[in-house]
Amino acid sequence: MDIDGAEPGGDPSGVYGSRVRLDPAARDPRSRPDLLCAAGPVVPVLLPGGVTAWLVTRHQAGKAVLADSRFVKDIGAWRAWRSGEVPRSWPLAPLLTVANMTTATAGDHTRLRAPLARAFTARRVARLRPRVEELAGELLDRLAADRPAGPVELRDRFAHPLPIAVICELFGVPDDHRPRLRSLCQALFSTPAGPAEALATHRELRAALAGLLRAKHDRPGDDLTSALVAPGHGLSGTELVDTLLLMIVAGHETTVNLLVNAVYALLAHPGQLALVRSGEVPWSAVVEETLRWDPPVANFPFRYALCDVDLAGRTIRAGDAVMLSYTAFGRDPRQHGPGADCFDITRPPTRHLTFGHGIHHCLGAPLARLEAAVALPALFGRFPGLALADPGQPPPRRPSMVFNGLRDLPVVLGPPGGS
């Protein structure tokens, strides 16, 4: 069965003749989202360490894979992993072997997701708004009080501390544990380290989260970690740690990227910023357009084919690994129109896949949207003269194959406006 029809005319770009290299340390010019999408719905790629995979680059094909039970998340279905061709020390291995909903299929996925779905409700997230507003205000107060003459690194001073504070409060992380947790999270997503260093960071982070779970089991509170360890949760000790790892680590990192990407997009497109400042376009449109145009996740590994599958004219063999390119999905003109490569907050609403699809839709989506909807107008309201420190030089991207965000965002604040 063919899911998402193949294009007539074969492969005019010739990209299928050689694998595109997805390696943050050696960027392949063909790996730009728009070029990947133009190359075809399914592109063969070469990952760090010489690992090979398929990359799905178009919206409809991606949506089909997310809904297709023939693609599973169980790493035991990956032929190269079973054979030992991919070593257990591969730097991405911890991401693929955790015991949480990102690596679970069918019934296991439902079982692992259920405790969070019960606790991570829309009502609970909505109740966070006043606290998110308060935390954002405190960070902006500090920036206004400092009023440095030179550039400010906005990722470090605003976009990162806000989501980590919110997620720590939501999961009941004690104040004195937060600096170390933040440091470990930053190390986890910093410039790729050697296998030993990466695994050591991962182990220390897991140990810290296991300690938090034990503390909440002994003294539960009104937080999501306590909800996770409440009687009847049905998760093993390893599954609890890995679920907490997913929600705290990925839950804040993606929001950091959403914030820096949105601020940069607006500052680099002053006409768009003028529209939202005038009230002609709501801030929610900025959030959704950023999620489409410059999403927080670049490529998400992996799904594995249980059998041979025809995917957009390419034969994915049983045991092959498949990645989803969310950056390429957002630049797909078949879904988002001929101007898909342009940042345009006046674009008619179109569905994007940034938060997944179906049973794989991200539980943290309402929280990410809430934080961005609070943080962006607060920032631009407090600093109406906010500008890029170097408008002629795009800020560098973080060297990650999975996450998509700016490494730094140097800005000039200008005089503060209203509180």
Side-chain angles (χ1 to χ4, degrees):
M1 177 182 178
D2 185 356
I3 52 180
D4 191 36
E7 289 197 345
D11 173 30
S13 68
V15 72
Y16 292 149
S18 62
R19 292 184 178 270
V20 176
R21 190 172 183 181
L22 288 188
D23 185 345
R27 183 72 66 183
D28 188 328
R30 299 172 299 169
S31 67
R32 272 177 31 197
D34 56 330
L35 295 182
L36 284 171
C37 186
V42 186
V43 175
V45 290
L46 182 67
L47 309 181
V51 175
T52 59
W54 295 101
L55 186 70
V56 182
T57 65
R58 293 191 187 163
H59 180 99
Q60 288 302 325
K63 187 175 178 181
V65 169
L66 286 166
D68 194 321
S69 60
R70 294 172 298 176
F71 292 100
V72 299
K73 294 183 175 184
D74 177 7
I75 197 169
W78 188 12
R79 186 176 58 254
W81 181 263
R82 291 197 311 267
S83 69
E85 181 183 338
V86 176
R88 274 31 180 185
S89 60
W90 192 44
L92 281 181
L95 183 65
L96 307 175
T97 55
V98 291
N100 61 38
M101 69 185 83
T102 63
T103 59
T105 301
D108 266 350
H109 178 270
T110 302
R111 179 178 61 83
L112 291 165
R113 184 183 173 99
L116 278 171
R118 289 193 296 268
F120 210 82
T121 62
R123 180 180 297 178
R124 186 167 203 147
V125 170
R127 290 206 313 261
L128 284 172
R129 177 177 279 271
R131 183 57 178 147
V132 175
E133 291 171 344
E134 184 179 9
L135 288 168
E138 289 172 0
L139 289 167
L140 294 173
D141 285 346
R142 287 178 209 149
L143 280 174
D146 291 348
R147 298 184 67 173
V152 169
E153 212 294 274
L154 200 68
R155 180 185 176 101
D156 184 61
R157 294 294 302 274
F158 184 69
H160 189 275
L162 177 61
I164 193 70
V166 171
I167 208 78
C168 282
E169 292 204 2
L170 189 61
F171 282 88
V173 179
D175 289 348
D176 58 341
H177 290 190
R178 293 180 188 182
R180 184 55 184 155
L181 184 64
R182 176 178 176 175
S183 172
L184 287 170
C185 290
Q186 286 181 314
L188 202 63
F189 298 120
S190 64
T191 303
E197 186 178 344
L199 288 173
T201 298
H202 191 257
R203 283 194 207 99
E204 187 177 350
L205 183 54
R206 286 176 56 82
L209 297 178
L212 176 62
L213 285 160
R214 287 192 297 270
K216 294 299 178 180
H217 180 271
D218 295 339
R219 290 189 172 185
D222 183 23
D223 56 73
L224 291 191
T225 305
S226 298
L228 271 177
V229 297
H233 57 72
L235 274 61
S236 71
T238 298
E239 289 169 344
L240 283 169
V241 172
D242 287 347
T243 296
L244 199 56
L245 181 72
L246 168 67
M247 298 308 295
I248 289 184
V249 176
H252 91 269
E253 178 71 14
T254 50
T255 306
V256 174
N257 290 344
L258 171 57
L259 293 178
V260 293
N261 293 356
V263 172
Y264 176 67
L266 288 172
L267 293 179
H269 299 83
Q272 301 288 300
L273 178 57
L275 288 173
V276 72
R277 274 186 160 152
S278 70
E280 293 178 57
V281 179
W283 283 98
S284 59
V286 174
V287 176
E288 295 308 311
E289 180 65 352
T290 304
L291 287 167
R292 177 200 72 81
W293 185 72
D294 200 7
V297 172
N299 310 293
F300 201 84
F302 278 132
R303 280 164 173 77
Y304 315 100
L306 280 179
C307 58
D308 290 0
V309 180
D310 246 358
L311 179 58
R314 303 294 295 179
T315 299
I316 311 299
R317 299 294 182 191
D320 282 359
V322 174
M323 298 180 70
L324 301 174
S325 177
Y326 290 96
T327 48
F329 294 162
R331 304 297 178 96
D332 186 353
R334 296 150 196 81
Q335 175 69 14
H336 303 293
D341 207 36
C342 299
F343 179 74
D344 180 6
I345 62 175
T346 68
R347 182 185 308 278
T350 55
R351 290 187 179 275
H352 57 73
L353 291 174
T354 296
F355 287 125
H357 171 67
I359 64 169
H360 300 295
H361 190 268
C362 176
L363 277 172
L367 179 60
R369 284 185 166 112
L370 169 64
E371 290 184 63
V374 167
L376 294 173
L379 173 67
F380 283 96
R382 181 65 67 91
F383 298 105
L386 191 70
L388 294 171
D390 185 357
Q393 184 64 40
R397 294 269 162 179
R398 300 201 82 188
S400 172
M401 190 183 73
V402 176
F403 290 98
N404 176 50
L406 301 173
R407 190 186 68 198
D408 342 275
L409 183 54
V411 297
V412 176
L413 297 177
S419 60

